[in-house]
Each structure stands twice: as C-alpha cells, then as structure tokens.
C-alpha cells in the first residue's frame, strides 16, 4: 500500500528545480554516507578534508557539500539547532533516497542511508571532561516529536523510559520522553577506546530544558540532580545535547542507520564551559571521517 500511495504536493514540496523544499538538494545529490553537523559554517570545515567537491548548496540553516574523502563518496549537511530541524532534514534526506519525484511514490527498493551526527555537548557526570568524546548509545528525547509517528514504541526502549520517568517524577505537562538506541553497527565502526558509550538526553531547548536559569525560574529546579542520580542497569546518563534522539528515532522508523557522537564542551556539575572548543571538534571530525 505504501508503494502505491501518491504523496500529495502539499505533503512533500518539490521546488521548481527538482530539489526538495527545505534542504534544496536533488535526488542525484544524495550520498549513502552522511555527516550531520549543527553549525552551517562547520560544513566548510568538514569539507576542507574532502578530495573532491561535487556540489555546495545552502538554504536557510541547511548547508550541504557532497564529494569524496579518501575515495569514499559522502556528504556533510548542517541541520541547525534543535530536534524540529532534525525531523525536517531526515525526512527530506529519506525522500531523496526513497521517493520517485516524478511519480511521487515510494520506490520499490529501499535505499539505506548511514548518518553520523557530530555535535557538542555538556557532561552530567564528574568523570567526563571538556574535550572528551561521547557516543549516544541511547538518545532520550524531551521534545516529543517521535510521539507523533505511528510505531514509535517499536523502536523505543520502553523500560528505560518508564524507569526514568518514575525516578525523576516526570511532570505530565511535559512531552513524554522517548528513548532510541543508536545503530549498533555504526557504534562499533565509529567507536573505539577513545570514545565513551553514553546515555544522552536530547533536550527540547538550551536553557530551562537543560536546567539553565537566567532570569526565568525553573519548573523543577531539582531535575538535573535527579537526572544525574538516575541509573539504568547500573549506568548513568552522561550528557545533554539536543538532536540525538530524534535523529536516531526517525532513522530507525525509516530504515536507516544513525548515531551521534559529541565533544564535551561544558561540565555542568562543575559549572564550567569552554568557548575555545574548535580544536577538539576538529579532532573529532578527523576521527569520524577516517572511520565512517
């Protein structure tokens, strides 16, 4: 039934030049190996390592460069800040790979994309320090996006979600959190002993949802302390960022492989941060490029 459905123009907008609406890429520009970054400017840094550049496309916060690295075809695309942007980017990347733009039908043969997000993050445990690398073996989303999709329970760790909500006394006014594992093959391929296997929270915002208070008071000032003390099968939640859970959840629902690895740039328990983190991120980029 899925392959026979014609997707209306209002549900998948295709630009006059044959590119998909937001990220402005055409189907011929999609690559199987994809690096995702938040900052559009970081795409140029990643692409500076490429042997060859085939295209360079920018639209809003979405910047994509495709080419080769050591002979391997790949692309890098920025997604901006937040899980709502991730939903847009993953949906449109999948459309480029698996929808015939002429017939507006799903292609009969599924094309699997391999996506690695390189991000920055704040640690929640004392043994994680600025410059450390953490893989989101599990990503827990506070945004609720995946809850709008059918079959979310099939890709989520329901036991983790229940134990977490019970432990922190989750406020029913907040979106129900969801937890999705990264692709195990990518974790094995990208991860080594120089990366921590972590449980990562993907917050829906940068300030209050991550326990930061500037002028507005927090609904639960003790939430971060509860998060830090939570253990699932003996392991703690390691870090905060904003996109891993939606990326890993959307990818699993769509039949793709995805993971997030972050460089720690802030230690939340010590209330310290490092704004000169670019050398650490460059080292992480070099590492992922060599292993993807």
């Amino acid at each position: 039934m899925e392959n026979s459905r014609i997707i209306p123009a209002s549900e998948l907008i295709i630009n006059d030049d044959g590119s998909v609406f937001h990220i402005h890429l055409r189907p011929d520009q999609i690559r199987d190996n994809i690096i995702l970054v938040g900052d559009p400017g970081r795409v140029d840094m990643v692409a500076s390592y490429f042997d060859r550049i085939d295209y360079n496309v920018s639209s809003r916060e979405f910047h994509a460069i495709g080419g080769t690295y050591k002979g391997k075809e790949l692309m890098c695309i920025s997604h901006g800040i937040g899980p709502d942007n991730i939903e847009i980017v993953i949906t449109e990347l999948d459309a480029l790979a698996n929808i015939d733009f002429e017939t507006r039908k799903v292609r009969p043969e599924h094309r699997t994309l391999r996506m690695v997000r390189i991000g920055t993050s704040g640690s929640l445990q004392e043994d994680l320090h600025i410059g450390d690398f953490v893989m989101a073996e599990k990503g827990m989303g506070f945004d609720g996006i995946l809850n709008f999709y059918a079959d979310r329970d099939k890709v989520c760790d329901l036991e983790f979600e229940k134990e977490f909500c019970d432990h922190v006394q989750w406020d029913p006014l907040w979106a129900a959190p969801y937890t999705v594992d990264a692709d195990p093959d990518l974790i094995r391929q990208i991860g080594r002993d120089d990366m921590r296997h972590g449980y990562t929270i993907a917050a829906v915002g940068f300030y209050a949802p991550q326990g930061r208070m500037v002028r507005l008071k927090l609904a639960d000032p003790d939430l971060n302390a509860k998060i830090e003390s939570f253990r699932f099968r003996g392991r703690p939640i390691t870090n905060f960022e904003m996109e891993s859970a939606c990326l890993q959840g959307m990818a699993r629902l769509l039949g793709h492989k995805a993971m997030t690895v972050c460089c720690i740039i802030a230690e939340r328990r010590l209330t310290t941060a490092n704004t000169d983190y670019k050398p650490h991120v460059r080292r992480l980029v070099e590492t992922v490029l060599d292993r993807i």
Side-chain angles (χ1 to χ4, degrees), residues 17-259:
D17 63 356
S19 66
V20 70
F21 185 56
H22 293 94
I23 63 176
H24 273 251
L25 292 178
R26 302 186 312 271
D28 63 288
Q29 294 173 317
I30 191 72
R31 300 290 187 266
D32 291 338
N33 295 296
I34 302 171
I35 292 176
L36 298 106
V37 296
D39 182 357
R42 196 172 296 158
V43 175
D44 290 311
M45 187 266 279
V46 174
S48 69
Y49 292 96
F50 288 6
D51 313 317
R52 186 189 77 229
I53 291 178
D54 299 323
Y55 62 81
N56 188 334
V57 176
S58 290
S59 174
R60 310 186 194 191
E61 61 265 57
F62 311 115
H63 179 198
I65 297 179
T68 62
Y69 174 76
K70 294 184 178 179
K72 176 174 283 191
E73 297 276 343
L74 78 169
M75 60 179 284
C76 180
I77 185 169
S78 62
H79 52 71
I81 298 175
D84 49 341
N85 282 359
I86 285 287
E87 190 222 19
I88 290 171
V89 171
I90 303 309
T91 300
E92 295 192 358
L93 288 174
D94 173 76
L96 293 170
N98 289 300
I99 294 173
D100 186 321
F101 278 20
E102 296 296 324
T103 65
R104 290 186 164 272
K105 293 182 179 181
V106 176
R107 297 182 185 275
E109 293 187 4
H110 182 269
R111 181 177 176 183
T112 300
L113 305 176
R114 301 167 71 254
M115 298 175 281
V116 178
R117 190 181 98 76
I118 299 173
T120 55
S121 181
S123 70
L124 289 167
Q125 303 299 330
E126 291 179 346
D127 62 343
L128 272 174
H129 306 293
I130 290 170
D132 288 348
F133 301 155
V134 182
M135 296 182 295
E137 193 169 30
K138 289 184 185 294
M140 168 170 270
F142 282 4
D143 52 89
I145 286 176
L146 214 66
N147 302 334
F148 287 89
Y149 287 93
D151 299 326
R152 64 82 85 191
D153 285 3
K154 293 182 180 179
V155 301
C156 290
D157 188 329
L158 304 183
E159 182 184 359
F160 188 105
E161 293 169 9
K162 183 180 186 308
E163 290 191 18
F164 175 84
C165 289
D166 289 345
H167 180 84
V168 303
Q169 300 172 300
W170 189 257
D171 190 326
L173 288 176
W174 303 333
Y178 59 93
T179 304
V180 187
D181 289 350
D183 180 77
D185 293 334
L186 281 180
I187 289 287
R188 284 190 292 270
Q189 181 176 343
I190 302 298
R192 302 284 192 279
D193 56 7
D194 56 356
M195 294 182 185
R196 172 83 167 265
H197 289 243
Y199 294 161
T200 299
I201 286 179
V204 69
F206 185 78
Y207 289 99
Q210 295 187 38
R212 291 183 172 96
M213 187 171 69
V214 182
R215 289 188 60 227
L216 298 175
K217 294 181 179 180
L218 303 177
D220 183 355
D222 300 320
L223 181 59
N224 273 20
K226 297 174 189 175
I227 291 171
E228 291 162 10
S229 66
F230 174 70
R231 297 293 184 274
F232 183 74
R233 298 176 183 170
R235 292 175 55 186
I237 288 174
T238 48
N239 58 311
F240 264 133
E241 48 89 75
M242 295 177 66
E243 294 90 9
S244 62
C246 189
L247 166 63
Q248 292 168 192
M250 294 290 295
R252 278 191 175 267
L253 286 174
L254 289 164
H256 302 299
K257 297 176 178 290
M259 66 167 287

